[in-house]
DNA sequence: CTCCTGATTCGAAGTCTGTCTATGCAACGT
DNA sequence: ACGTTGCATAGACAGACTTCGAATCAGGAG
């Protein structure tokens, strides 16, 4: 059921491809790059999705079952499923069915990418949250 | 005309205040923190606003005049003004009137904050775009 | 095979967003 | 004082987003 991500941000591991890392803070963003980036940020622009992503990223073993996600919200199960789908289409998470349950995990390449885009060149390292 | 930011993210320079840095990737996000974070990400979730922010951040002298921003888009001047207002309310930029023209500049604390939130603890430093 | 549970998909309210035109306000020049 | 230019605000409207209940699909158990 995965295999439908939008493959945004061109996260193809190539160190410096052609249309490589969009530069948000140092050069004017091209129109198409802005459109792709906006999809990811829009996916993060909802409190429910942020909490979902947070729960997924901090889940034991790096993954979590939908059945553990749903009861944490005052929302119907289809609504949670919808938000998970949007996060998946943004390339932020992926999932796999294992028997009865579906497990989700974070795709760190995308968050790393965003962090890099939001980092000013002069900066040594943005203070990661103290674990 | 500034002075109406939402003061999101509690960017009060305190190194480790009480509800300090929300941990997106290492611990489940609290509801109110998720709501505040979502406002900022939502402001970034539009291609026009991303390009505006990019142009502002990369402007000569760290600032740029609205009159240089508006003609770069196929949008009406009030629409640009509207997007700038949203970016301002998200705490991403600020502005000042100097004579006839209004100048905007980036508030790096907010983007730094977001970069930190999106950075995994194990990570040394997200690759900042090569200047 | 049939039933039950977990999860996604579908269709339909209700609300929010992005955009426009029209208007208002501030600063400058004549 | 008056008109012009630059920018912000107000109101209106189409399209998108969020949410729900109902229906559907996938696995496991009896």
């Amino acid at each position: 059921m995965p295999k439908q991500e939008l493959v945004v941000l061109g996260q193809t591991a190539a160190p410096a491809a052609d249309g490589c890392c969009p530069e948000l803070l140092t050069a004017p963003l091209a129109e198409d790059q802005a459109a792709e980036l906006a999809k990811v940020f829009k996916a993060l622009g909802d409190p429910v999705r942020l909490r979902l992503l947070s729960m997924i990223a901090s889940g034991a073993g790096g993954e979590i079952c939908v059945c553990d996600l749903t009861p944490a919200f005052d929302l119907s199960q289809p609504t949670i499923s919808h938000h998970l789908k949007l996060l998946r289409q943004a390339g932020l998470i992926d999932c796999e069915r294992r028997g009865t349950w579906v497990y989700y995990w974070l795709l760190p390449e995308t968050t790393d990418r965003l962090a890099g885009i939001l980092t000013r060149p002069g900066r040594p390292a943005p203070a990661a949250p103290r674990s």
Side-chain angles (χ1 to χ4, degrees), chain A:
Chain A
M1 177 179 320
K3 298 284 168 293
Q4 41 176 314
E5 297 84 28
L6 281 188
V7 190
V8 141
L9 293 186
Q11 52 213 358
T12 40
D18 196 5
C20 161
C21 30
E23 305 190 13
L24 179 61
L25 302 182
T26 61
L29 206 55
E31 238 172 292
D32 50 350
Q33 290 178 336
E36 294 191 349
L37 255 184
K39 288 178 191 168
V40 187
F41 281 123
K42 189 176 298 185
L44 293 173
D46 182 281
V48 174
R49 288 196 290 271
L50 273 182
R51 289 179 61 202
L52 282 171
L53 189 73
S54 179
M55 294 177 69
I56 291 171
S58 58
E63 60 182 22
I64 196 169
C65 174
V66 174
C67 58
D68 293 327
L69 252 25
T70 306
F73 298 84
D74 284 335
L75 294 171
S76 68
Q77 191 187 33
T79 298
I80 300 296
S81 188
H82 170 67
H83 285 303
L84 288 171
K85 185 179 181 179
L86 292 186
L87 286 173
R88 196 148 34 83
Q89 290 180 332
L92 286 160
I93 59 175
D94 201 358
C95 67
E96 182 189 28
R97 177 163 216 128
R98 289 209 277 278
T100 306
W101 295 282
V102 176
Y103 289 84
Y104 280 81
W105 59 87
L106 180 73
L107 292 179
E109 309 84 34
T110 306
T111 50
D112 288 351
R113 194 90 187 203
L114 292 183
I117 284 172
L118 288 170
T119 301
R120 288 179 289 167
R123 281 261 137 169
R130 330 163 307 290
S131 61

